[in-house]
Amino acid sequence: MTNATAELPPPPSFYREPLSVGSVALASRFNLAPLAGYTNLPFRLSVRELGGVGLCTTDLINARAIVDGIQKTMLLLAHDHAERPLFVQIFGSKAHEMAGAAKWLVENRIADGIDINMGCPVRKVVKTGGGSSLMCDTTGATVGLVSQVVEAVRPVPVSVKMRLGWDDDNLSAPYFAREFEKAGVAALTIHGRTREQGFAGGVNHEGIRRVVEAVEKIPVFGNGDVRSVQDAARMITETGCHGIAIGRGALANPWVFRQFDAWVRTGDPGPRATYAERLAFMRLHLKRLVDWRGSERNGCVHFRKVATWYTKALRFPKKVQQRLVMLSTLAEFEELIAPFSGGHAPDGWTEYDAQQAHIAVPAGPIAHW
């Protein structure tokens, strides 16, 4: 099934022009945004193979843990040549640790670029002075930290992902955008919410536009609530962003990059993924998780985290969902999906079911996240 082009907004012509982040050329203007616990090697590699991705970035990774060589952190740094270019996202509050981690990643040829996390709103990151809390310091310390990272890895590009600010009274993103460009940062990704918002409320397109207007040359990628061509067109029109970073929308629909890229090039995003293709992608994801974690049980345990949104997207019965979230073996997985493996979707299922399978985000008072 192909979207009727009459129902779609026309793609922006400038999105067909080549775009680079520093010396790194992108295949498209649609990037996979980093998501802690999700954008690991198995998922990144599987998405890459579907096509249309401009740039992939790892989970956020503690800079100090990289410097200290923590084994669990090394697992998060697993990578594959087929997913290049790859940026590694680091977080922390100490300039020497951030610069040291970035230098180690480049020297060991793990990263084609470094992304600095200034957007994470979660308390365990913020309380250490990392993530969104870096946006509170406009005295020079945050800019100094970013400058040290840039100098440590030059000429390898450094990007920054941040929110609009801590709250509506402190929208510091335009200020930092100007200062970071002066410091040599190669690109910015802006999530259009404040830290105080968490994931609540709508994305502030006007806030993203102010960041786009604050820089002179470097690309700014808009981020937040982009799940459809209509969402992408609105983000581009209302913000002027040079590209789009997609996080949760890619988890629910890994084909989104291929669809957006096709829309830009032809005006038509092409067919949506079939039920059989979605089943095949889930199976591939699980098998790669097993390979990545080094054992069948560990891979299945990691799969439990993503099982719920797969079952929602595929409209599995509740009893199947309950067993998948406690999965222990590949044989059990094959047994559970066998009734659906003919590729015949359940009665009433449409490709829009996948779009409704939104990824759960933290709830309750943000101070308790």
Side-chain angles (χ1 to χ4, degrees), residues 51-367:
V53 180
L55 177 67
C56 287
T57 305
T58 66
D59 296 20
L60 77 166
I61 299 177
N62 189 317
R64 181 173 181 176
I66 295 174
V67 173
D68 291 345
I70 303 300
Q71 187 57 40
K72 185 177 179 181
T73 299
M74 296 302 110
L75 181 67
L76 293 176
L77 290 173
H79 56 284
D80 189 286
H81 179 74
E83 62 170 334
R84 307 314 271 266
L86 177 68
F87 276 39
V88 176
Q89 186 182 75
I90 57 175
F91 77 91
S93 60
K94 296 180 179 179
H96 71 280
E97 290 179 350
M98 294 284 280
K103 186 175 182 180
W104 185 89
L105 289 165
V106 171
E107 289 179 344
N108 285 274
R109 300 183 180 180
I110 295 173
D112 299 305
I114 302 298
D115 187 60
I116 297 174
N117 182 294
M118 284 180 51
C120 182
V122 178
R123 184 170 176 264
K124 69 179 182 179
V125 172
V126 170
K127 73 178 182 180
T128 64
S132 297
S133 63
L134 287 171
M135 301 199 70
C136 298
D137 191 323
T138 57
T139 65
T142 294
V143 176
L145 180 152
V146 171
S147 296
Q148 284 196 42
V149 174
V150 170
E151 291 302 321
V153 299
R154 194 183 295 275
V156 171
V158 173
S159 60
V160 177
K161 185 174 188 290
M162 57 183 172
R163 289 181 171 238
L164 296 178
W166 185 260
D167 54 32
D168 286 339
D169 294 326
N170 296 278
L171 300 177
S172 53
Y175 161 79
F176 282 120
R178 286 190 293 270
E179 295 303 310
F180 290 162
E181 184 173 31
K182 294 175 187 175
V185 164
L188 301 167
T189 298
I190 309 298
H191 181 87
R193 292 184 174 91
T194 63
R195 192 268 177 174
E196 185 180 51
Q197 278 185 270
F199 293 99
V203 168
N204 182 348
H205 286 175
E206 178 57 31
I208 297 176
R209 174 170 283 280
R210 290 187 189 125
V211 177
V212 173
E213 293 172 345
V215 301
E216 294 183 8
K217 294 181 179 179
I218 64 174
V220 176
F221 295 86
N223 173 241
D225 295 353
V226 176
R227 296 184 176 90
S228 67
V229 167
Q230 287 81 0
D231 294 337
R234 182 169 171 243
M235 172 71 81
I236 297 164
T237 300
E238 296 184 4
T239 71
C241 63
H242 308 95
I244 296 176
I246 305 157
R248 286 180 290 153
L251 297 178
N253 178 21
W255 292 263
V256 69
F257 304 101
R258 184 176 73 188
Q259 293 166 337
F260 285 3
D261 189 45
W263 167 65
V264 165
R265 289 184 290 102
T266 71
D268 184 351
R272 298 182 179 94
T274 65
Y275 196 81
E277 287 174 322
R278 293 183 184 281
L279 279 173
F281 185 90
M282 177 176 63
R283 178 187 282 113
L284 177 64
H285 191 183
L286 170 58
K287 289 184 175 179
R288 282 182 166 153
L289 284 168
V290 170
D291 292 341
W292 174 56
R293 294 305 306 268
S295 76
E296 190 169 329
R297 174 162 179 80
N298 287 342
C300 287
V301 167
H302 205 94
F303 177 79
R304 295 174 186 176
K305 185 171 185 176
V306 299
T308 296
W309 48 267
Y310 272 128
T311 57
K312 287 181 179 179
L314 293 164
R315 200 184 280 189
F316 286 159
K318 187 174 182 179
K319 62 182 180 180
V320 174
Q321 177 181 346
Q322 289 173 335
R323 290 186 62 186
L324 280 175
V325 297
M326 296 299 292
L327 188 70
S328 297
T329 68
L330 292 173
E332 183 184 11
F333 173 82
E334 293 298 338
E335 172 199 337
L336 290 170
I337 70 166
F340 313 94
S341 291
H344 301 296
D347 290 343
W349 183 88
T350 74
E351 59 269 23
Y352 292 102
D353 281 279
Q355 294 184 8
Q356 301 308 312
H358 299 326
I359 309 307
V361 295
I366 192 169

